[in-house]
Amino acid sequence: MGENDLKSNEISTTRFKVGSISFASLSILFLICLLVQVFFAGLAIFVNPVNWTKHTGFIHLFEFIPVLMFIIAFVGKLPRWAIGHSAALFSVIFVMYFTANITPVLPWAAALHPVIAFVLFWMSVKTLPRVWKMTFNNKQSEEIIRE
């Protein structure tokens, strides 16, 4: 193995480590934001409808986290599932916007809004162990890196 190969391998390993740590951090942050978002919806329903502004405004603070995750996964050369997962999260957020804003035309679609929120939450929770293993497993198994 030549000196250039060693440098290239070292850069690739560093890129993967930084990318996976960043991806894991954003995954956890996204999940926390989802919980806060549901809390704001609960405040609006059970405490005071004025709190809907918190619910509708807070999404703008975290809606692009999956886009950042996608970019980090791509640049960090993370596994394909990480790229796909972040793209899927962003797609589901788009569907959430659709269900929230289509109420005048399709009221039943608005009823799907909380159901889709559960799907978004489930997607985030389900992937965390995989993200954790990818990030903090000292022996990066070939199956995780190549997926």
Side-chain angles (χ1 to χ4, degrees):
M1 208 181 246
E3 188 177 319
N4 286 340
D5 291 339
L6 287 174
K7 283 183 181 179
S8 176
N9 192 25
E10 185 177 309
I11 289 170
S12 181
T13 302
T14 302
R15 180 186 294 180
F16 181 84
K17 284 181 183 178
V18 170
S20 62
I21 289 170
S22 300
F23 191 88
S25 300
L26 288 173
S27 295
I28 292 167
L29 178 63
F30 185 74
L31 183 58
I32 291 168
C33 287
L34 286 177
L35 293 171
V36 171
Q37 184 72 341
V38 171
F39 175 73
F40 287 152
L43 281 176
I45 293 168
F46 297 110
V47 178
N48 190 336
V50 170
N51 290 307
W52 280 122
T53 57
K54 291 177 184 173
H55 178 75
T56 57
F58 186 65
I59 182 60
H60 302 300
L61 298 177
F62 74 95
E63 65 191 349
F64 290 107
I65 289 177
V67 174
L68 292 174
M69 291 169 63
F70 179 85
I71 293 167
I72 288 169
F74 187 76
V75 172
K77 296 193 177 195
L78 301 185
R80 278 184 261 152
W81 63 260
I83 295 169
H85 173 71
S86 50
L89 288 176
F90 188 72
S91 298
V92 174
I93 289 174
F94 177 78
V95 173
M96 292 287 290
Y97 269 112
F98 176 78
T99 60
N101 293 307
I102 197 70
T103 306
V105 179
L106 295 171
W108 60 269
L112 291 174
H113 190 80
V115 174
I116 297 168
F118 279 115
V119 169
L120 196 57
F121 179 77
W122 175 79
M123 288 171 63
S124 298
V125 168
K126 180 88 169 113
T127 307
L128 273 183
R130 200 172 193 189
V131 170
W132 190 267
K133 185 176 179 184
M134 173 188 70
T135 305
F136 298 109
N137 188 5
N138 290 334
K139 294 180 181 180
Q140 297 170 343
S141 66
E142 291 298 315
E143 90 179 44
I144 291 177
I145 293 175
R146 291 187 182 176
E147 286 183 16

